[in-house]
């Protein structure tokens, strides 16, 4: 059995970190956020306060829009006008809170369509090109939200795909028990 190394095709190691769910939909008392809603820094801060959760450097941060409650109904779960993070919210999470990875239950993490006519995916551009931060899309967060699990051990191992720029993975959330 070979161990993991930082060379060649093994450049993407498994991720083991503290995970945090920010349930923006619940914070706003809705089943899901409205179409094209851009989550703001204030939205994230309000949800964290209501949950009694704080962020720490190195966290994996998963944002719940509630959109997966509409899956797989193609008339309701629409790719063209999804709610998601605003660029400012992504910057606050990465620069201000030092999140290591961002994820969400929508198809793209950010809101669509883009409000920037010069950039179709400004959050992707910021995360990948400017900050080197990976993201997870279309993450099922409904069970964590239902059980109000806002902090957990996050584990994920990307497939090693030679020459790939992305990889499927199966994220695991193991609740952190408080005494």
């Amino acid at each position: 059995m070979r161990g993991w190394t930082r060379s060649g095709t093994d450049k993407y190691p498994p991720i083991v970190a503290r995970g945090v769910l920010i349930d923006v939909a619940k914070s706003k008392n809705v089943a899901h956020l409205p179409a094209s809603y851009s989550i703001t820094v204030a939205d994230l801060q309000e949800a964290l306060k209501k949950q009694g959760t704080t962020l720490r450097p190195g966290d994996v941060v998963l944002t719940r829009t509630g959109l997966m409650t509409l899956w797989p109904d193609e008339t309701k779960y629409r790719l063209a006008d999804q709610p998601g993070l605003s660029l400012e919210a992504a910057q606050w999470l990465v620069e201000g809170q030092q999140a290591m990875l961002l994820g969400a239950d929508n198809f793209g993490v950010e809101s669509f369509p883009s409000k920037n006519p010069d950039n179709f995916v400004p959050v992707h551009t910021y995360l990948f090109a400017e900050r080197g931060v990976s993201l997870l899309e279309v993450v099922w967060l409904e069970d964590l939200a239902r059980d109000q699990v806002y902090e957990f051990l996050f584990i994920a191992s990307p497939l090693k795909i030679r020459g790939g720029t992305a990889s499927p993975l199966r994220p695991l959330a193991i609740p952190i028990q408080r005494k």
Side-chain angles (χ1 to χ4, degrees), residues 42-174:
D43 292 333
L44 296 174
Q45 291 171 333
E46 178 182 353
L48 286 165
K49 183 177 180 180
K50 286 181 178 179
Q51 295 173 189
T53 310
T54 58
L55 295 176
R56 300 178 192 153
D59 282 347
V60 170
V61 178
L62 306 177
T63 306
R64 181 176 173 271
T65 67
L67 205 58
M68 288 302 283
T69 61
L70 304 176
W71 182 266
D73 187 336
E74 295 174 6
T75 62
K76 295 178 183 175
Y77 188 95
R78 298 170 25 128
L79 299 178
D81 59 2
Q82 294 196 1
L85 291 178
S86 65
L87 178 57
E88 295 76 19
Q91 291 169 330
W92 180 77
L93 288 169
V94 171
E95 294 174 37
Q97 306 307 303
Q98 300 175 17
M100 69 173 290
L101 186 146
L102 301 183
D105 60 352
N106 67 345
F107 195 83
V109 177
E110 62 192 288
S111 63
F112 288 105
S114 171
K115 291 164 184 53
N116 181 344
D118 297 325
N119 190 338
F120 174 67
V121 286
V123 173
H124 277 67
T125 301
Y126 167 73
L127 292 175
F128 291 148
E130 296 178 28
R131 302 303 294 190
V133 173
S134 295
L135 54 84
L136 299 173
E137 301 168 330
V138 196
V139 181
W140 180 260
L141 300 174
E142 295 308 306
D143 296 333
L144 292 174
R146 179 196 65 228
D147 296 340
Q148 297 181 20
V149 175
Y150 302 123
E151 299 175 72
F152 44 89
L153 172 63
F154 179 88
I155 303 172
S157 184
L159 296 176
K160 298 172 184 175
I161 301 174
R162 186 179 304 271
T165 59
S167 171
L169 55 80
R170 181 171 183 196
L172 300 174
I174 300 171

Side-chain angles (χ1 to χ4, degrees), residues 2-56:
R2 268 182 21 177
W4 173 79
T5 66
R6 288 187 180 261
S7 62
T9 60
D10 296 335
K11 65 182 178 179
Y12 299 108
I15 301 162
V16 178
R18 176 177 179 257
V20 173
L21 169 66
I22 304 178
D23 194 344
V24 179
K26 181 179 180 181
S27 173
K28 295 191 167 296
N29 297 313
V30 296
H32 58 83
L33 298 177
S36 301
Y37 184 83
S38 290
I39 297 169
T40 66
V41 173
D43 292 333
L44 296 174
Q45 291 171 333
E46 178 182 353
L48 286 165
K49 183 177 180 180
K50 286 181 178 179
Q51 295 173 189
T53 310
T54 58
L55 295 176
R56 300 178 192 153

